[in-house]
Amino acid sequence: MSETAHTPTTPPAPTTPPAPTTPPVLIVGAGPTGLTLALALTACGIACRIVDKAAERTQVSKALAVWSGSLEAFAGLGVADSIIDAGIRMTHMRVGDGARELATMPIAEGVDSAFPFVVIIPQSETERLLAEHLAARGVTIERGLELVAVDQTAHAVRAVLRPAGHDDDRADSAMTAAYVVGCDGARSAARHAMDIPFTGYTEPQTFILSDTTMAGPLDPTSLYVWWGAGGSVALFPIGDGVWRTFAMRDDPDDQSPPDLDEMQAQLNRCGPPGLVAGDPTWLSAFRVNERLAERYRRDRVLLAGDAAHIHSPAGGQGMNTGIQDAVNLAWKLAAVLQGRGDATTLLDSYEAERRPVARQVIDGAAQKLHVGMVARGTTTRLLRDVAVSVVSKLPMLRRKLQVDLSETALRYDTGALISRPAPQSAHRHPAPGERALDGPHGEGPFWRHLSVSHHCLLVFADALPPALAQSRSHCGTAIAVVTVTLTDDPDGVLAARYDARPGSGDWVLIRPDQFIGARGRADDAASFDAYARMALLPAG
């Protein structure tokens, strides 16, 4: 500036410092669902804030089983190895009646997965490991805070938080976020704030459980389901000689926690012979609720995990269903916040895809509970014995049971993202809405290319077909391209897994949650473009 240039006669107004960056997503609840959601969002480059009412993470075992479907989801987050290393791989399910072992069946038999097994790990450990991974990404759980109010506008959510246990609203703090996700359990404050009905029923029976040491002839890599004249028990190894015992109490009105003597009496009358329980670390009595939220989203507030669905622990599906809710939702929220795709289509597809899954899980868990625990009497006992004998001798039935438990048979049939393929691809599997499959790719497994942070465009050629290359170019880093050459797949195993022709340019678009988004032949860019408009291309 020259000396003769005009200078203001009044000083400029002081510059206001920029407001602190507010994370666009508030996650309420730091259980496995909330932690998985936070990990997935941060992997996608989306900042989040995660709060929890509890002053510290759970110290009891709670949910134990991590099934194949959840291990696949954890693999896409880079945390599967931590979970597997810290847990116990189960090898068999043993079923018996009184002094007789009726059957020993392999676990995860016939499960088509990169992780064809179930890992037993206490929920407390699962939460610890997920929290450590989240802390490594710079996100700290804010504990002792509960959600007390939510106010929405067309563009944001104002959430009011309060120190847990305080009644004075002078301690409240407010934040504004683009979205709030309630992962805060069966009594979800987020669900209540949105006045979303939680419909279902409560089983009239009272169930009891314990975590104790267990002396006796038990295999620490097996699950046990056993019955006798006095009822049924289920036994699950936790590690270091500790076992979970689950049973139904005779008096349905007695809600008091059991003592060690009561648990031992259950083992004596209907468990495997020769077991002695000791040193309890958890004793609990509870009723089973089977409930489903009537909707998973109200505008900018969404529900996941137990906030959206609860059911019997039979089959060990609850935590797993919540984990997979989180992975399904995370990439869709990320796309919306990054200005890609159609926001309404993406967010509506979360409920359209995941709520039917929860309905199936609730119904299946209720059936397992009634068949395995609630039903009693001589006739029921004989029918169980016969059913176990039949199932254990028929591989097809054994595999169906295991595949259902593993959550690898899930497919999405509803929602706008599940577009019907072109006629030439109509009968090829996996189809849109079905799970991605693993197979060999070069020197390693194909699943190593899958990540929650982007779509994977699998192309059976050494380069993208010209019709697809132009369409893909508009999607930027939202898609990683993986080509499959004859060198990568010399025996055509991966091509066969995807019902594709080696070297043909056939392509499969795999979503970040490892479900198929679209597929087509080399000259079929239309199917890709239709999906890309909904989920990948810049909005507008």
Side-chain angles (χ1 to χ4, degrees), residues 263-283:
M263 300 308 300
Q264 184 65 55
Q266 290 279 357
L267 290 168
N268 291 344
R269 69 179 184 165
C270 50
L275 302 184
V276 179
D279 302 321
T281 56
W282 190 27
L283 294 160

PDB file of all heavy atoms in Angstrom, residues 263-283:
ATOM      1  N   MET A 263     -28.299 -71.616  41.522  1.00  0.00           N
ATOM      2  CA  MET A 263     -27.690 -71.968  40.238  1.00  0.00           C
ATOM      3  C   MET A 263     -27.169 -73.406  40.273  1.00  0.00           C
ATOM      4  O   MET A 263     -27.305 -74.148  39.296  1.00  0.00           O
ATOM      5  CB  MET A 263     -26.562 -70.997  39.896  1.00  0.00           C
ATOM      6  CG  MET A 263     -26.991 -69.537  39.774  1.00  0.00           C
ATOM      7  SD  MET A 263     -28.409 -69.241  38.663  1.00  0.00           S
ATOM      8  CE  MET A 263     -27.798 -69.846  37.099  1.00  0.00           C
ATOM      9  N   GLN A 264     -26.593 -73.795  41.399  1.00  0.00           N
ATOM     10  CA  GLN A 264     -26.121 -75.175  41.508  1.00  0.00           C
ATOM     11  C   GLN A 264     -27.281 -76.161  41.441  1.00  0.00           C
ATOM     12  O   GLN A 264     -27.168 -77.232  40.811  1.00  0.00           O
ATOM     13  CB  GLN A 264     -25.346 -75.361  42.814  1.00  0.00           C
ATOM     14  CG  GLN A 264     -24.730 -76.748  42.972  1.00  0.00           C
ATOM     15  CD  GLN A 264     -23.666 -77.039  41.935  1.00  0.00           C
ATOM     16  OE1 GLN A 264     -22.712 -76.285  41.778  1.00  0.00           O
ATOM     17  NE2 GLN A 264     -23.809 -78.147  41.209  1.00  0.00           N
ATOM     18  N   ALA A 265     -28.399 -75.796  42.065  1.00  0.00           N
ATOM     19  CA  ALA A 265     -29.574 -76.673  42.009  1.00  0.00           C
ATOM     20  C   ALA A 265     -30.062 -76.847  40.576  1.00  0.00           C
ATOM     21  O   ALA A 265     -30.474 -77.945  40.169  1.00  0.00           O
ATOM     22  CB  ALA A 265     -30.684 -76.113  42.896  1.00  0.00           C
ATOM     23  N   GLN A 266     -30.025 -75.765  39.786  1.00  0.00           N
ATOM     24  CA  GLN A 266     -30.406 -75.869  38.366  1.00  0.00           C
ATOM     25  C   GLN A 266     -29.473 -76.827  37.630  1.00  0.00           C
ATOM     26  O   GLN A 266     -29.916 -77.656  36.822  1.00  0.00           O
ATOM     27  CB  GLN A 266     -30.360 -74.483  37.712  1.00  0.00           C
ATOM     28  CG  GLN A 266     -31.444 -73.527  38.170  1.00  0.00           C
ATOM     29  CD  GLN A 266     -32.769 -73.780  37.468  1.00  0.00           C
ATOM     30  OE1 GLN A 266     -32.893 -74.638  36.599  1.00  0.00           O
ATOM     31  NE2 GLN A 266     -33.787 -73.037  37.868  1.00  0.00           N
ATOM     32  N   LEU A 267     -28.179 -76.724  37.886  1.00  0.00           N
ATOM     33  CA  LEU A 267     -27.219 -77.613  37.239  1.00  0.00           C
ATOM     34  C   LEU A 267     -27.450 -79.065  37.648  1.00  0.00           C
ATOM     35  O   LEU A 267     -27.370 -79.977  36.818  1.00  0.00           O
ATOM     36  CB  LEU A 267     -25.795 -77.189  37.599  1.00  0.00           C
ATOM     37  CG  LEU A 267     -25.303 -75.865  37.001  1.00  0.00           C
ATOM     38  CD1 LEU A 267     -24.003 -75.439  37.664  1.00  0.00           C
ATOM     39  CD2 LEU A 267     -25.104 -76.001  35.494  1.00  0.00           C
ATOM     40  N   ASN A 268     -27.743 -79.271  38.933  1.00  0.00           N
ATOM     41  CA  ASN A 268     -27.904 -80.635  39.428  1.00  0.00           C
ATOM     42  C   ASN A 268     -29.108 -81.332  38.796  1.00  0.00           C
ATOM     43  O   ASN A 268     -29.069 -82.529  38.499  1.00  0.00           O
ATOM     44  CB  ASN A 268     -28.081 -80.635  40.948  1.00  0.00           C
ATOM     45  CG  ASN A 268     -26.803 -80.229  41.664  1.00  0.00           C
ATOM     46  OD1 ASN A 268     -25.717 -80.233  41.081  1.00  0.00           O
ATOM     47  ND2 ASN A 268     -26.931 -79.868  42.938  1.00  0.00           N
ATOM     48  N   ARG A 269     -30.183 -80.596  38.570  1.00  0.00           N
ATOM     49  CA  ARG A 269     -31.404 -81.260  38.112  1.00  0.00           C
ATOM     50  C   ARG A 269     -31.551 -81.303  36.604  1.00  0.00           C
ATOM     51  O   ARG A 269     -32.291 -82.127  36.079  1.00  0.00           O
ATOM     52  CB  ARG A 269     -32.639 -80.612  38.743  1.00  0.00           C
ATOM     53  CG  ARG A 269     -32.955 -79.209  38.288  1.00  0.00           C
ATOM     54  CD  ARG A 269     -34.218 -78.701  38.959  1.00  0.00           C
ATOM     55  NE  ARG A 269     -34.612 -77.388  38.477  1.00  0.00           N
ATOM     56  CZ  ARG A 269     -35.806 -76.852  38.678  1.00  0.00           C
ATOM     57  NH1 ARG A 269     -36.722 -77.532  39.352  1.00  0.00           N
ATOM     58  NH2 ARG A 269     -36.087 -75.654  38.222  1.00  0.00           N
ATOM     59  N   CYS A 270     -30.859 -80.413  35.868  1.00  0.00           N
ATOM     60  CA  CYS A 270     -31.045 -80.460  34.414  1.00  0.00           C
ATOM     61  C   CYS A 270     -29.789 -80.154  33.609  1.00  0.00           C
ATOM     62  O   CYS A 270     -29.869 -79.972  32.389  1.00  0.00           O
ATOM     63  CB  CYS A 270     -32.175 -79.525  33.985  1.00  0.00           C
ATOM     64  SG  CYS A 270     -32.097 -77.847  34.619  1.00  0.00           S
ATOM     65  N   GLY A 271     -28.624 -80.136  34.235  1.00  0.00           N
ATOM     66  CA  GLY A 271     -27.395 -79.874  33.502  1.00  0.00           C
ATOM     67  C   GLY A 271     -26.587 -81.132  33.269  1.00  0.00           C
ATOM     68  O   GLY A 271     -26.960 -82.222  33.715  1.00  0.00           O
ATOM     69  N   PRO A 272     -25.476 -81.001  32.565  1.00  0.00           N
ATOM     70  CA  PRO A 272     -24.571 -82.145  32.424  1.00  0.00           C
ATOM     71  C   PRO A 272     -24.122 -82.624  33.800  1.00  0.00           C
ATOM     72  O   PRO A 272     -23.913 -81.806  34.707  1.00  0.00           O
ATOM     73  CB  PRO A 272     -23.392 -81.561  31.624  1.00  0.00           C
ATOM     74  CG  PRO A 272     -23.941 -80.355  30.946  1.00  0.00           C
ATOM     75  CD  PRO A 272     -24.968 -79.801  31.866  1.00  0.00           C
ATOM     76  N   PRO A 273     -23.987 -83.909  33.997  1.00  0.00           N
ATOM     77  CA  PRO A 273     -23.653 -84.413  35.327  1.00  0.00           C
ATOM     78  C   PRO A 273     -22.243 -84.026  35.765  1.00  0.00           C
ATOM     79  O   PRO A 273     -21.340 -83.860  34.932  1.00  0.00           O
ATOM     80  CB  PRO A 273     -23.788 -85.934  35.173  1.00  0.00           C
ATOM     81  CG  PRO A 273     -23.692 -86.198  33.715  1.00  0.00           C
ATOM     82  CD  PRO A 273     -24.221 -84.996  33.036  1.00  0.00           C
ATOM     83  N   GLY A 274     -22.082 -83.882  37.082  1.00  0.00           N
ATOM     84  CA  GLY A 274     -20.757 -83.694  37.665  1.00  0.00           C
ATOM     85  C   GLY A 274     -20.235 -82.280  37.668  1.00  0.00           C
ATOM     86  O   GLY A 274     -19.025 -82.070  37.833  1.00  0.00           O
ATOM     87  N   LEU A 275     -21.092 -81.260  37.533  1.00  0.00           N
ATOM     88  CA  LEU A 275     -20.629 -79.878  37.501  1.00  0.00           C
ATOM     89  C   LEU A 275     -20.794 -79.223  38.870  1.00  0.00           C
ATOM     90  O   LEU A 275     -21.807 -79.400  39.544  1.00  0.00           O
ATOM     91  CB  LEU A 275     -21.398 -79.072  36.460  1.00  0.00           C
ATOM     92  CG  LEU A 275     -21.343 -79.575  35.022  1.00  0.00           C
ATOM     93  CD1 LEU A 275     -22.086 -78.615  34.096  1.00  0.00           C
ATOM     94  CD2 LEU A 275     -19.903 -79.760  34.554  1.00  0.00           C
ATOM     95  N   VAL A 276     -19.797 -78.438  39.256  1.00  0.00           N
ATOM     96  CA  VAL A 276     -19.847 -77.706  40.514  1.00  0.00           C
ATOM     97  C   VAL A 276     -19.484 -76.255  40.240  1.00  0.00           C
ATOM     98  O   VAL A 276     -18.371 -75.955  39.768  1.00  0.00           O
ATOM     99  CB  VAL A 276     -18.883 -78.297  41.561  1.00  0.00           C
ATOM    100  CG1 VAL A 276     -18.949 -77.479  42.858  1.00  0.00           C
ATOM    101  CG2 VAL A 276     -19.216 -79.764  41.836  1.00  0.00           C
ATOM    102  N   ALA A 277     -20.423 -75.350  40.514  1.00  0.00           N
ATOM    103  CA  ALA A 277     -20.213 -73.915  40.282  1.00  0.00           C
ATOM    104  C   ALA A 277     -19.625 -73.263  41.529  1.00  0.00           C
ATOM    105  O   ALA A 277     -19.890 -73.688  42.666  1.00  0.00           O
ATOM    106  CB  ALA A 277     -21.532 -73.248  39.915  1.00  0.00           C
ATOM    107  N   GLY A 278     -18.831 -72.212  41.322  1.00  0.00           N
ATOM    108  CA  GLY A 278     -18.247 -71.492  42.452  1.00  0.00           C
ATOM    109  C   GLY A 278     -17.823 -70.094  42.072  1.00  0.00           C
ATOM    110  O   GLY A 278     -17.786 -69.724  40.889  1.00  0.00           O
ATOM    111  N   ASP A 279     -17.507 -69.304  43.082  1.00  0.00           N
ATOM    112  CA  ASP A 279     -16.952 -67.958  42.898  1.00  0.00           C
ATOM    113  C   ASP A 279     -17.718 -67.112  41.893  1.00  0.00           C
ATOM    114  O   ASP A 279     -17.185 -66.692  40.854  1.00  0.00           O
ATOM    115  CB  ASP A 279     -15.486 -68.036  42.458  1.00  0.00           C
ATOM    116  CG  ASP A 279     -14.616 -68.799  43.445  1.00  0.00           C
ATOM    117  OD1 ASP A 279     -14.829 -68.629  44.649  1.00  0.00           O
ATOM    118  OD2 ASP A 279     -13.756 -69.579  43.004  1.00  0.00           O
ATOM    119  N   PRO A 280     -18.985 -66.820  42.148  1.00  0.00           N
ATOM    120  CA  PRO A 280     -19.768 -66.038  41.176  1.00  0.00           C
ATOM    121  C   PRO A 280     -19.258 -64.609  41.039  1.00  0.00           C
ATOM    122  O   PRO A 280     -18.922 -63.955  42.018  1.00  0.00           O
ATOM    123  CB  PRO A 280     -21.179 -66.067  41.762  1.00  0.00           C
ATOM    124  CG  PRO A 280     -20.989 -66.297  43.227  1.00  0.00           C
ATOM    125  CD  PRO A 280     -19.771 -67.176  43.353  1.00  0.00           C
ATOM    126  N   THR A 281     -19.210 -64.144  39.795  1.00  0.00           N
ATOM    127  CA  THR A 281     -18.881 -62.737  39.527  1.00  0.00           C
ATOM    128  C   THR A 281     -20.087 -61.962  39.029  1.00  0.00           C
ATOM    129  O   THR A 281     -20.049 -60.732  38.960  1.00  0.00           O
ATOM    130  CB  THR A 281     -17.758 -62.639  38.477  1.00  0.00           C
ATOM    131  OG1 THR A 281     -18.154 -63.346  37.290  1.00  0.00           O
ATOM    132  CG2 THR A 281     -16.469 -63.250  39.010  1.00  0.00           C
ATOM    133  N   TRP A 282     -21.149 -62.661  38.647  1.00  0.00           N
ATOM    134  CA  TRP A 282     -22.384 -61.993  38.209  1.00  0.00           C
ATOM    135  C   TRP A 282     -23.542 -62.951  38.426  1.00  0.00           C
ATOM    136  O   TRP A 282     -23.501 -64.104  38.006  1.00  0.00           O
ATOM    137  CB  TRP A 282     -22.280 -61.603  36.725  1.00  0.00           C
ATOM    138  CG  TRP A 282     -23.387 -60.716  36.240  1.00  0.00           C
ATOM    139  CD1 TRP A 282     -24.125 -59.837  36.980  1.00  0.00           C
ATOM    140  CD2 TRP A 282     -23.878 -60.609  34.892  1.00  0.00           C
ATOM    141  NE1 TRP A 282     -25.046 -59.183  36.189  1.00  0.00           N
ATOM    142  CE2 TRP A 282     -24.908 -59.630  34.904  1.00  0.00           C
ATOM    143  CE3 TRP A 282     -23.537 -61.233  33.692  1.00  0.00           C
ATOM    144  CZ2 TRP A 282     -25.614 -59.282  33.752  1.00  0.00           C
ATOM    145  CZ3 TRP A 282     -24.226 -60.885  32.544  1.00  0.00           C
ATOM    146  CH2 TRP A 282     -25.253 -59.909  32.572  1.00  0.00           C
ATOM    147  N   LEU A 283     -24.568 -62.451  39.105  1.00  0.00           N
ATOM    148  CA  LEU A 283     -25.805 -63.194  39.333  1.00  0.00           C
ATOM    149  C   LEU A 283     -26.956 -62.259  39.005  1.00  0.00           C
ATOM    150  O   LEU A 283     -27.021 -61.141  39.529  1.00  0.00           O
ATOM    151  CB  LEU A 283     -25.899 -63.662  40.791  1.00  0.00           C
ATOM    152  CG  LEU A 283     -24.864 -64.697  41.250  1.00  0.00           C
ATOM    153  CD1 LEU A 283     -24.756 -64.698  42.776  1.00  0.00           C
ATOM    154  CD2 LEU A 283     -25.229 -66.085  40.742  1.00  0.00           C
TER     155      LEU A 283
END
